[in-house]
Structure formats: structure tokens, C-alpha cells
Amino acid sequence: MKVLHLILYEQLFPPKNGGMLRCWNLLEQISKYHEVDVITMQNDIIVQLNKSDFKLPASTRFFIPANDGIIPGQKNISFKEKVWTAIKYRLSFQTLSNADSSVLKIVSVLKIIKNNEYDLVIFEHLESLRLFKKIKPLFPLAKIIFDAHNVDHLLLHSNANKRRLKNIRKAESTLYKKCDLVFTASVSDAEILRSFNKNKIQVAVIPNGIDVEKNSYQLPDFNHNPKKIIFCGSLDYEPNQIGLMWFLNNVWKDIIKIYSTIILLVVGKGQPGDALMGSLKHDSNIEFIGEVDEVIPYYRNAQCAIVPLLNGSGTRLKILEAMSLGVPVISTSIGAEGIHYKNGENIFISNERNEYLDIIDRLYKNDAIFISISRNANELVHNEYSWNVIGNTLKIILRELTQILI
């Protein structure tokens, strides 16, 4: 089976956040069983792969648009260049929508691969579907798959541009017109997109996974002093900002009254905004780490991980990461959506201030509870969320979609 995989809006390798990790690991798993051509905007992908020990099969090829010197979103290009890009985009895609120079660059790649025969075309992110009208005529027999990392219209900022919100809702409600199959990261996202598409769409749940070998299990040091809690996630992601602020305002102040030496580690890329940054910088019990190359050492130094999300969709890779490493997780029910957890057995679910305080108190006073949660969570990850396990499921789904026996 031959696959065309469009990964346009993520740095592909090395993966550094949830979106990158999902794209990379799906590509890795699909490449085990099929020939894959990848279109990516990452100009140094080959260099990065050569610098690493990782090797994809020789049947995996990368196609990268030529660099014309104009970076997508660049502000200092001339007015003439902007106008010419807009004209080319509207003529090429026969649309009056805003021009996207990065999508326009892909047209040159399509000219190179147009004579190939693909059984599957996989689109990552809604923006990549702008190429559907170009790709479908070139490969009319190929099955079209869209990988929905999230339900995007649920993640927009509360003050989001109304036109943008309308466009995203329209794109998500008309997926059935383009796609033979949609991947979602959770059952709840699958139900939302089915309903949004009037039950005319086929959906398969492909959860986010974890590299269980890299994120190897290890119980933290119970004698570590002071105790540490870790929050790990993108700090420019609004649901993370809202959730962390709620935790600081409603839970954290009471925790440090009980455990005066406890430390909250805040790890993640991006700017958290002025209000949240103020809270992080002016609390002596908080260590604001920011972006790091490797998060595992920080997990190894923590006895508990929090995921206080109040909104959002998808599956939290950071929960699976902590579980695999042996760090017990306290999450809201929204934060843990998409994970087949058992509250009190392999994770703690808390939606209220008093619950958080009680759970942290139990974890820090009873090593047996700590060990039980840690080991059960690790077992769950190995059985259901290892990327190799997910890859086997993916192989079966793709085979059924194309009706090709492998």
C-alpha cells in the first residue's frame, strides 16, 4: 500500500510537543507497514534525521517545497510580493479566501508526485485540507483520511475572531464531503464530529500514545525533600493557562499552608500571559522552568503531576507521559478525557478544591497508595497506549479501509 502523508504545520523531527509527537509517531507506525511519501515544510528534516540514531524505512520519502526566500507569515515582504502571492493563491485554488503562501508552495511538489499512485492520503490539521481540491483530482482513487488532533472550534480563545470561528466550524461540519475516514484522539471527540457531520462520516479513534521505552518506569524518591508537584504543558495554550490559573487561585494557596516547603515545577514552552506569569514569578514555592529540551529529569524529581484542565479536547499526552514514568497524576475529568482510566486505581480525578487537597495529602502520607497508583498507571499505558500497540490497531483499520490484505 502506498500512502501520501501531509504534515505541513508541525516541525516533524525532533518532535517537541503533543502535535509533533502525534504526527511523528503516526508516520513511524504507518511506515512500518507501507510505503510513505511525506510532504513537510521542515527544510532540515533530512539533516535532523541524519544527526539522530533514528532510521525510518528506505521506502519513506520526504518532499519539501523549494525555499523561495519568503517565510510564511513574514511581515517584511514587499507589498508587490504580497499582492502577487494573493493572486496566485486565488487563481490556483479558485477561492476568495485569505491567501496562504505556505499552501501555495505545495503546488510545486504536487507537480513532482502527480504521476504516483496512492492508496491513501492523510491530512494533518484542518489547514492542510485547503489542498483537497488539488489533491483529489490527482489521486481520485485514493482514500482520504483526516487526522483530527482536537475538535478545533472548541479550543479557540473566548475572544476569537468570529469569522475564523465560523470558518473552522464549517470545515469541521463538512468533513464528510471530503473524507473517507476521520481519526480522533478520543471517543468524545469522535462523537462530537459524528454529530457535527450529521452521522454521515466514518470515524476511528486513534488515541495519542507514548514511547514506553524512552519514558521508562521508575518510582520517585520518597525521601526527597522538599516534595515537588509538576505541571507540564504548553504555556501559550489557553486551556492550560486557564487551568493552571484556577489551580493557583483555588488549590495551591491552601496546599502551601499544609506543606510549607512544597515546590510546584512549571515546565513548558510559550508565553503564559501577564496575569499567569505574575503569579508564577512572585511565589517562592514555584519554580518556573519554561521550555526545556528534555522533560524526563523534571518528572524524575517530582512526586505528583497535575492536569487541572477545565476545557479542551483530544487526549493529554502529558498524562500518558507521567504515567509511563511512574509519576501519579491528578487530573480534572476534562483533562483525562480519552484515557481509559479508573479513578483511584490508576489516576486521581479531581474537579474541586477540597478533592485536590485530600488527594495530595493521601499521596504524601501513604506510600502504599502512591506505589499502587503508579504501577497500575504504568500497566495501563503499556497495554493500551504504547505506540506499538496503537500501530497494530492502525494497521488493521487501514487494511479494512482499502480492503488490501497485507
Side-chain angles (χ1 to χ4, degrees):
M1 187 190 301
K2 190 149 188 176
V3 180
L4 177 62
H5 200 167
L6 285 85
I7 310 176
L8 309 181
Y9 294 93
E10 295 282 7
Q11 172 181 307
L12 192 51
F13 191 87
K16 293 183 178 180
N17 63 33
M20 296 177 194
L21 283 165
R22 181 174 176 87
C23 288
W24 174 255
N25 283 286
L26 286 181
L27 169 61
E28 181 186 353
Q29 294 301 323
I30 294 169
S31 296
K32 287 182 180 180
Y33 309 106
H34 312 295
E35 293 181 59
V36 184
D37 286 349
V38 184
I39 301 180
T40 175
M41 300 296 291
Q42 185 180 345
N43 292 323
D44 67 344
I45 180 68
I46 305 300
V47 173
Q48 291 293 337
L49 283 170
N50 289 338
K51 286 166 55 178
S52 74
D53 295 328
F54 190 87
K55 303 299 179 187
L56 284 169
S59 58
T60 302
R61 303 186 302 172
F62 292 94
F63 292 87
I64 305 165
N67 187 354
D68 59 8
I70 299 175
I71 301 171
Q74 186 175 327
K75 295 181 179 180
N76 60 348
I77 63 174
S78 69
F79 176 74
K80 181 179 178 180
E81 288 171 325
K82 290 181 180 179
V83 171
W84 180 232
T85 296
I87 291 172
K88 286 194 294 183
Y89 181 84
R90 286 167 173 80
L91 289 175
S92 181
F93 288 88
Q94 297 181 354
T95 179
L96 295 177
S97 64
N98 292 336
D100 185 336
S101 60
S102 61
V103 171
L104 189 59
K105 291 180 180 182
I106 306 300
V107 175
S108 61
V109 173
L110 296 182
K111 292 178 181 178
I112 298 173
I113 64 173
K114 66 180 181 180
N115 293 323
N116 294 347
E117 294 184 2
Y118 295 106
D119 301 289
L120 294 172
V121 179
I122 303 175
F123 292 83
E124 300 284 349
H125 299 297
L126 280 175
E127 289 87 349
S128 66
L129 280 174
R130 296 182 186 185
L131 284 163
F132 175 80
K133 290 183 178 179
K134 286 290 183 183
I135 285 178
K136 187 60 178 177
L138 291 178
F139 316 112
L141 299 180
K143 298 293 186 181
I144 303 297
I145 298 175
F146 170 63
D147 182 26
H149 293 217
N150 303 283
V151 180
D152 284 353
H153 78 267
L154 297 180
L155 301 181
L156 287 180
H157 295 258
S158 55
N159 60 348
N161 180 284
K162 290 183 178 180
R163 181 179 177 184
R164 181 167 177 253
L165 176 60
K166 181 180 178 181
N167 288 339
I168 289 176
R169 288 176 65 90
K170 181 179 179 181
E172 290 185 327
S173 65
T174 56
L175 289 172
Y176 70 93
K177 295 182 178 180
K178 300 182 177 74
C179 305
D180 297 290
L181 180 64
V182 172
F183 292 157
T184 64
S186 70
V187 172
S188 59
D189 282 4
E191 292 172 350
I192 291 169
L193 288 179
R194 279 197 194 98
S195 176
F196 234 47
N197 286 268
K198 306 172 185 178
N199 292 317
K200 296 180 180 180
I201 198 166
Q202 184 177 353
V203 181
V205 177
I206 305 295
N208 287 321
I210 198 73
D211 183 338
V212 295
E213 294 182 4
K214 177 183 177 183
N215 298 277
S216 60
Y217 180 73
Q218 176 182 313
L219 282 172
D221 178 7
F222 290 107
N223 297 317
H224 185 82
N225 191 23
K227 302 292 188 184
K228 292 189 177 183
I229 298 173
I230 186 171
F231 173 92
C232 188
S234 297
L235 297 172
D236 52 1
Y237 177 54
E238 189 185 38
N240 280 344
Q241 294 174 353
I242 293 171
L244 185 53
M245 185 62 81
W246 174 86
F247 177 81
L248 294 177
N249 291 337
N250 294 279
V251 182
W252 181 241
K253 292 178 181 178
D254 289 320
I255 290 176
I256 58 179
K257 289 178 183 177
I258 303 170
Y259 298 96
S260 60
T261 61
I262 199 168
I263 298 296
L264 175 63
L265 301 172
V266 178
V267 181
K269 72 176 184 67
Q271 296 299 316
D274 294 340
L276 180 55
M277 180 61 84
S279 298
L280 297 176
K281 287 288 191 180
H282 297 97
D283 188 324
S284 59
N285 290 82
I286 297 177
E287 290 185 14
F288 176 62
I289 309 298
E291 185 173 4
V292 296
D293 291 331
E294 183 57 73
V295 299
I296 291 178
Y298 296 94
Y299 277 112
R300 297 289 192 215
N301 203 24
Q303 292 76 40
C304 174
I306 58 166
V307 186
L309 288 184
L310 305 178
N311 64 312
S313 71
T315 306
R316 254 42 74 176
L317 278 166
K318 295 304 178 185
I319 291 182
L320 301 177
E321 190 171 59
M323 286 179 162
S324 184
L325 290 166
V327 182
V329 176
I330 307 174
S331 173
T332 57
S333 53
I334 289 177
E337 280 183 353
I339 297 174
H340 297 155
Y341 64 82
K342 290 184 179 179
N343 185 19
E345 182 174 319
N346 45 38
I347 193 173
F348 284 112
I349 300 298
S350 174
N351 298 304
E352 298 180 3
R353 166 188 165 277
N354 289 337
E355 289 177 334
Y356 255 101
L357 296 173
D358 179 61
I359 291 167
I360 289 174
D361 199 48
R362 290 167 61 196
L363 277 175
Y364 286 172
K365 289 181 177 178
N366 191 325
D367 291 352
I369 292 176
F370 189 109
I371 293 170
S372 176
I373 290 287
S374 176
R375 288 179 175 168
N376 290 339
N378 182 261
E379 182 179 358
L380 172 68
V381 169
H382 270 261
N383 291 340
E384 295 192 37
Y385 297 103
S386 162
W387 275 116
N388 288 332
V389 172
I390 294 169
N392 287 330
T393 301
L394 187 60
K395 177 179 69 172
I396 295 169
I397 289 172
L398 297 184
R399 181 181 64 195
E400 291 176 348
L401 179 65
T402 57
Q403 297 181 335
I404 294 177
L405 295 177
I406 302 169

